[in-house]
Amino acid sequence: GYHADRWKNLLLLNSSPTKAYFDTSEEDPFCMYNYLLDITTWNKSTRRGFIQVKITDSDGNTVESEMNSEASTFQQYKRVKILTGFYRDIKNVSKISLTFSTKTLIGPKHKLRILQMKLKSLNYPER
């Protein structure tokens, strides 16, 4: 990876579209705590949308993830991995809440039925 203060010059050398993921730190302006959300769903029909994650610790402190800019596609019994980030760290997670949204104002509301879910800290993999 590249340090965030040097990303622009390195990525602009490529003329094709590029995705980049940056290391962050515990201090501003680059503080972000990254988690990998691994979901398996069991809806019979395909769902496309966004997941927002809310985690709560044993003291009741809650933090919400930033919404991903790209929608994910969820198919029956297929695993989907989503990189999600939080601006504060939660050490002793006691509750995880997911909100599924299609970001459409018109149309039917869909549920996303979760068969299996795993949330793993990328900053602290031992958690």
Side-chain angles (χ1 to χ4, degrees):
Y2 303 105
H3 291 279
D5 61 346
R6 292 180 268 167
W7 71 270
K8 189 174 182 180
N9 293 334
L10 294 168
L11 293 178
L12 290 178
L13 295 175
N14 297 332
S15 59
S16 62
T18 303
K19 281 189 180 184
Y21 301 95
F22 300 106
D23 288 334
T24 59
S25 70
E26 294 181 11
E27 299 174 14
D28 281 332
F30 304 116
C31 58
M32 180 68 73
Y33 299 92
N34 297 300
Y35 286 77
L36 183 64
L37 179 64
D38 188 347
I39 298 177
T40 304
T41 59
W42 60 276
N43 290 67
K44 288 184 180 179
S45 57
T46 299
R47 300 277 188 256
R48 185 158 171 76
F50 303 87
I51 297 269
Q52 186 162 19
V53 182
K54 186 187 309 183
I55 54 178
T56 305
D57 68 10
S58 54
D59 294 330
N61 300 311
T62 301
V63 63
E64 289 187 35
S65 67
E66 291 299 303
M67 184 74 76
N68 290 336
S69 59
E70 294 181 28
S72 297
T73 302
F74 302 94
Q75 297 173 325
Q76 188 176 34
Y77 306 128
K78 300 284 183 182
R79 290 175 64 187
V80 175
K81 293 183 180 184
I82 301 169
L83 180 65
T84 186
F86 300 89
Y87 285 113
R88 283 189 304 126
D89 187 27
I90 296 285
K91 293 183 182 176
N92 299 316
V93 176
S94 64
K95 180 179 176 184
I96 301 170
S97 302
L98 302 178
T99 303
F100 175 70
S101 171
T102 59
K103 285 193 174 180
T104 59
L105 299 175
I106 302 172
K109 301 288 183 193
H110 294 288
K111 291 183 179 180
L112 188 65
R113 291 177 169 85
I114 306 292
L115 181 65
Q116 181 178 319
M117 177 187 75
K118 183 164 95 173
L119 185 67
K120 180 178 181 178
S121 171
L122 298 178
N123 296 78
Y124 304 101
E126 68 278 359
R127 289 187 187 168

